[in-house]
Structures are given as structure tokens and as C-alpha cells.
């Protein structure tokens, strides 16, 4: 029986069992098989098993406008460490920059300003001329977060500024007595954490924008916050200078303590970054050199997995692809590490600079590029081409 006599859905099912190399070879047989072998339905199973293809563990496709076949090809470059490194920007005074990536726009905080830069669509090339600037702070911007309509920044001056991304309107929010180290926003809820040993919950609703709903005394400096995807709870990460765990989950509405994560943190093991993957799963990293993976359905007293930074460096930031890959920025030599959650050893390591004291303060990636902000420079790793391999 001819292969082409089969119904299309049956043919797609058969092709979905082939591996990456077999599909590539099959697509070279004839035009009709080329058409079938390039369909996203055929590549979905392979894409879900690869790192950073944009297909999450729940099956959500984050980059549906890019073909799965091309994303799988680039994924192999990530796994093998094939990339080209480029220094996009350099500046003289040492800063504590923060990054956010929104499709083809890169947002970078530099001192008291947040600048927006265009990336060329499809190629990810950086446009050095900024097209928008968000300002208003009298000190350095510590963190900022993006929503569909707003850019919300937290600064050393103790202010929170809500910028409207569609126009030049902005609103200043006061409440913290010292620098606001971290901020997150989901829905109409903003959560901020400060050096003044408190976390505050604010509303972003059109009628009561900027109103403080609750203040939570944390009795320790707050370095990181993250709101759950359900918005019902949020997590605070503190400096771990007191006799309680630095990771605590709070009820967003009542602001009551729900649970504490972990029980054996060393003193000073502050949590610098937190990332939710689902309402029950989150990742944390910080001064104690570990990335920890928590599953709240299993146990809150102990993480289900952990990965230790091999060179005993603090971990300042991280990002997950929502499936298998974690990227983390370390405190020395501008080192970025890629981790595969299915493995215990580091997958790839990229050294961005030779200077010893060069922390990676922030990083963001999409399917083809990784951007890392150091104290005096912004670097990009391009995985589209066939650059030199990174060291393990």
C-alpha cells in the first residue's frame, strides 16, 4: 500500500514517531513528504523533549508564530553550546542593571532610567538607538516588571512608578521607607519588597490604582518576590539574617502566612530570584549557590530537586523555559550556565568576560538569543548560527 493513500491524520501520526534526523531525511524524498515533514503537528512531540523550544510542560506554545522545525534546529545549538557572543552595549559607571524581554523589544535599566531597544524581527539583531525611555526615579532602578499595558519600576529612592506603555503618563507610589529591592505584578495586583523589612500589596485597578491594600512585616530585608499564576498567593525571598526560613508564601487577599519553604538554609543564604512555572511549581536561587525546584503538591519543607553552582558562586538571576531548561547568572567572570532539569550536571557554561568580579545581574532569553546584563556591559549569545562550542 502506498504511503500517500493513507489519510492525512494517520500519516501525521506515523511521522510523529520519527526522531529529528529521520524527519529531516524523509523531507528530502519528495515535495509531498517535505510538506508533511515540516508540519508543526509532526514536530510537537520532538519539541516537547528538547530544551527551549517554547513548548511548556503543560503543552502551551509560547512562540506559535515560529515553526517548530526551526525551533528544534536551534534547540540543538543550545544543547551543544554552539553560539556567537557579542557585546551589545558598554558603559563606564558600574550599575545594577535589570532586563525584560517582550517579543522584539528589550528593556534595560541603566541607573535611574529604563531604556527600550528594538530587536530586528526574526534575526534578533540589536538596535543600539533606544526608542523609548522611562524615568522618574531619583536613584537607581532596582527592578522592574512588564504587563500588557504598564511598566512598573522599583527604585533605591523608595518609590514605585507605574508607567503607561501606550503614552507618557506615569504615577508615583510611596509607602516604603527604604529602597524597594523587588517587585512583581499579575492581574491588578502589585507586590513589592523592600530593605525596610516589609512587603506591600498594591492594587492596579482603574479606580484605586496605587492604593496600598496590605503591609506585611517580614522582619528581614526582602530581596525577591513572585506572584503565583493564580494570583491567590505570592512568595517573598529574604536575606536569611534571622532565625526563620527566607522563603515564605503569603495569601494575597488576607496577607496571612500560608507556609514556609525549606528548613535548612544557612545564615546569609538570601534568595535573590524566584520564578513560578505553574501554580504549584517554582524555582529559587541566591547566595547559597543552589537552584532549587519546589513542588508544593509534594512537600513544602524540602525541595524536590536542586542544582549546585560548581564554582561556589552566588546566583543572581535565572530564567526557565517552562519545560526542561534553566539559565542562571553567577557572581564571577560573567558566567552564564544552562541546566537541563533531567540531569544533575551543568549542561553548558558561557564565560562572557575575564574580569573576576563581574556578576550577571540579569538575563533573559527567547528561542534563539540569550541576553545578559553585567555591571558595565550588555552581552548577547546568538544560537541561530554555528558558532564555537561552549565548555561544559
Amino acid at each position: 500500500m502506498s504511503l500517500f493513500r493513507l489519510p492525512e491524520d494517520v500519516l501525521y501520526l506515523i511521522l510523529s514517531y520519527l526522531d529529528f534526523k529521520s524527519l529531516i531525511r524523509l523531507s528530502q524524498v519528495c515535495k509531498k513528504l517535505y510538506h508533511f515533514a515540516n508540519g508543526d503537528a509532526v514536530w510537537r512531540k520532538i519539541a516537547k523533549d528538547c530544551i527551549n523550544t517554547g513548548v511548556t510542560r503543560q503543552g502551551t506554545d509560547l512562540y506559535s508564530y515560529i515553526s517548530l522545525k526551526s525551533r528544534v534546529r536551534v534547540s540543538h545549538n543550545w544543547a551543544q553550546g554552539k553560539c556567537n557572543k557579542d557585546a551589545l552595549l558598554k558603559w563606564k559607571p558600574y550599575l545594577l542593571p535589570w532586563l525584560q524581554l517582550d517579543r522584539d523589544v528589550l528593556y534595560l535599566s541603566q541607573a535611574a532610567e529604563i531604556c527600550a531597544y528594538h530587536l530586528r524581527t526574526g534575526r534578533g539583531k540589536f538596535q543600539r538607538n533606544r526608542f523609548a525611555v522611562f524615568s522618574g526615579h531619583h536613584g537607581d532602578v532596582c527592578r522592574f516588571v512588564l504587563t500588557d499595558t504598564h511598566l512598573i519600576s522599583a527604585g533605591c529612592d523608595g518609590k514605585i512608578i507605574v508607567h503607561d506603555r501606550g503614552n507618557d503618563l506615569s504615577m508615583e507610589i510611596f509607602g516604603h521607607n527604604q529602597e524597594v529591592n523587588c517587585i512583581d505584578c499579575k492581574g491588578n495586583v502589585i507586590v513589592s519588597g523592600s530593605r525596610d523589612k516589609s512587603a506591600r500589596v498594591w492594587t492596579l485597578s482603574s479606580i484605586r490604582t496605587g492604593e496600598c491594600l496590605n503591609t506585611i512585616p517580614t522582619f528581614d530585608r526582602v530581596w525577591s518576590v513572585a506572584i503565583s499564576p493564580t494570583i491567590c498567593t505570592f512568595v517573598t525571598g529574604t536575606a536569611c539574617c534571622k532565625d526563620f526560613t527566607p522563603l515564605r508564601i503569603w495569601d494575597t487577599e488576607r496577607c496571612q502566612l500560608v507556609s514556609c519553604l525549606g528548613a535548612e538554609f544557612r545564615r546569609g543564604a538570601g534568595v535573590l530570584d524566584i520564578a513560578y512555572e505553574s501554580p504549584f511549581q517554582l524555582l529559587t536561587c541566591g547566595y547559597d549557590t543552589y537552584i532549587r525546584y519546589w513542588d508544593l503538591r509534594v512537600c513544602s519543607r524540602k525541595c524536590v530537586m536542586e542544582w549546585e553552582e560548581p564554582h561556589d558562586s552566588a546566583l543572581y538571576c535565572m530564567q526557565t523555559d517552562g519545560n526542561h531548561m534553566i539559565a542562571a547568572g553567577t557572581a564571577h567572570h560573567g558566567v552564564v550556565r544552562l541546566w537541563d532539569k533531567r540531569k544533575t550536571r551543568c549542561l553548558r557554561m558561557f564565560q562572557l568576560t575575564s574580569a573576576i568580579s563581574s556578576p550577571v545581574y540579569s538575563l533573559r532569553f527567547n528561542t534563539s538569543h540569550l541576553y545578559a546584563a553585567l555591571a558595565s556591559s550588555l552581552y548577547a549569545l546568538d544560537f541561530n548560527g554555528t558558532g564555537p562550542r561552549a565548555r561544559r
Side-chain angles (χ1 to χ4, degrees), residues 92-104:
K92 286 187 177 180
Y94 278 17
L95 305 173
L96 296 174
W98 191 252
L99 291 174
Q100 292 289 356
L101 188 60
D102 184 20
R103 299 262 325 230
D104 61 343

Side-chain angles (χ1 to χ4, degrees), residues 317-328:
C317 57
M318 66 179 175
Q319 186 185 347
T320 169
D321 68 350
N323 197 5
H324 300 304
M325 192 184 86
I326 307 168

Side-chain angles (χ1 to χ4, degrees), residues 254-268:
R254 296 188 297 271
C255 287
Q256 296 177 347
L257 182 64
V258 176
S259 64
C260 297
L261 299 183
E264 298 179 355
F265 286 93
R266 299 196 309 265
R267 196 172 185 84

Side-chain angles (χ1 to χ4, degrees), residues 343-379:
K343 301 177 181 179
T344 55
R345 293 184 61 187
C346 170
L347 179 64
R348 294 292 165 190
M349 185 270 282
F350 307 93
Q351 183 176 330
L352 303 179
T353 179
S354 58
I356 296 176
S357 182
S358 297
V360 177
Y361 287 114
S362 180
L363 61 79
R364 287 293 180 266
F365 61 78
N366 52 29
T367 57
S368 58
H369 290 76
L370 184 146
Y371 301 92
L374 283 65
S376 60
S377 54
L378 173 68
Y379 282 88

Side-chain angles (χ1 to χ4, degrees), residues 329-343:
T330 70
H332 301 302
H333 297 292
V335 168
V336 172
R337 292 188 185 275
L338 301 185
W339 302 85
D340 188 328
K341 292 185 205 168
R342 298 164 293 188
K343 301 177 181 179

